[in-house]
Amino acid sequence: MSAIDTLLQRRVSGPDHGAPEVPTPVPSLHVAVVTCMDARIKVFDVFGLAHGEVHILRNAGGVATDDVIRSLSISQRKLGTREIVIMQHTSCGLSMITEDSFKDEVEQDTGLRPPWAIEAFREVKDSVRQSMERVRRSPFLPHRDHVRGFVYDVATGGLTEVF
Ligand code: ZN
């Protein structure tokens, strides 16, 4: 049995049989949260979130890539979000690899070198600042006045703002 089969079985006995009870796709707090896919980050718990309150965009690193900007543009223009949180974290996998080492590894295994940036970083605060800057300078986002960045400590649960 695969892990996906396990999930489907859980769903049969799980609580979410009815409608999601959120009447609109517009997040009620009008906030978008960009964060890493790291399984240790409990995004809902970190900010005490309820379903329907925010958009949550996750990728490796919690980086404002072109595709995240795409989602944020739709989030702001069509779904009413006005503020953006960038939350990266301690001991992120992206701080333990480099652009070249990862690309070399993939190229050696597959014969193809990825055309996309890995977005590896050494200092997480610098990476948060870079993503905040990309958002603030994006012509595709109409609302850029309320962009704040944070580092989440996966060991302690602490949250540190980055300026
Ligand atoms: Zn991470």
Side-chain angles (χ1 to χ4, degrees):
M1 197 167 81
S2 72
I4 294 174
D5 290 328
T6 303
L7 295 182
L8 291 172
Q9 215 163 40
R10 280 191 206 172
R11 177 166 169 72
V12 170
S13 55
D16 192 13
H17 291 300
E21 295 178 352
V22 176
T24 166
V26 175
S28 61
L29 292 178
H30 306 285
V31 172
V33 177
V34 178
T35 194
C36 185
M37 65 188 183
D38 192 295
R40 294 168 293 184
I41 302 175
K42 301 184 286 183
V43 185
F44 275 75
D45 293 350
V46 172
F47 294 109
L49 295 173
H51 283 286
E53 288 188 321
V54 305
H55 279 157
I56 299 172
L57 310 178
R58 300 185 77 159
N59 64 16
V63 176
T65 59
D66 284 348
D67 193 61
V68 165
I69 299 289
R70 175 184 74 89
S71 293
L72 289 172
S73 183
I74 294 164
S75 174
Q76 291 197 345
R77 290 180 173 275
K78 298 299 178 191
L79 292 163
T81 62
R82 296 290 178 266
E83 302 178 47
I84 297 171
V85 169
I86 308 277
M87 182 176 73
Q88 298 184 8
H89 67 101
T90 56
S91 60
C92 184
L94 285 187
S95 67
M96 298 164 192
I97 59 175
T98 65
E99 295 284 319
D100 281 346
S101 70
F102 189 82
K103 287 187 173 184
D104 288 349
E105 182 183 320
V106 173
E107 188 174 6
Q108 279 160 20
D109 286 348
T110 67
L112 283 176
R113 195 168 185 83
W116 22 265
I118 311 302
E119 305 281 2
F121 55 81
R122 294 274 72 85
E123 171 51 59
V124 62
K125 287 181 181 176
D126 292 339
S127 180
V128 170
R129 287 189 191 101
Q130 180 63 218
S131 280
M132 290 165 72
E133 231 16 72
R134 288 181 192 173
V135 165
R136 286 178 176 144
R137 295 187 194 188
S138 175
F140 305 117
L141 303 177
H143 306 286
R144 293 170 289 176
D145 293 337
H146 300 285
V147 179
R148 293 172 72 176
F150 301 88
V151 174
Y152 176 71
D153 188 321
V154 292
T156 67
L159 194 67
T160 304
E161 184 155 13
V162 177
F163 298 97

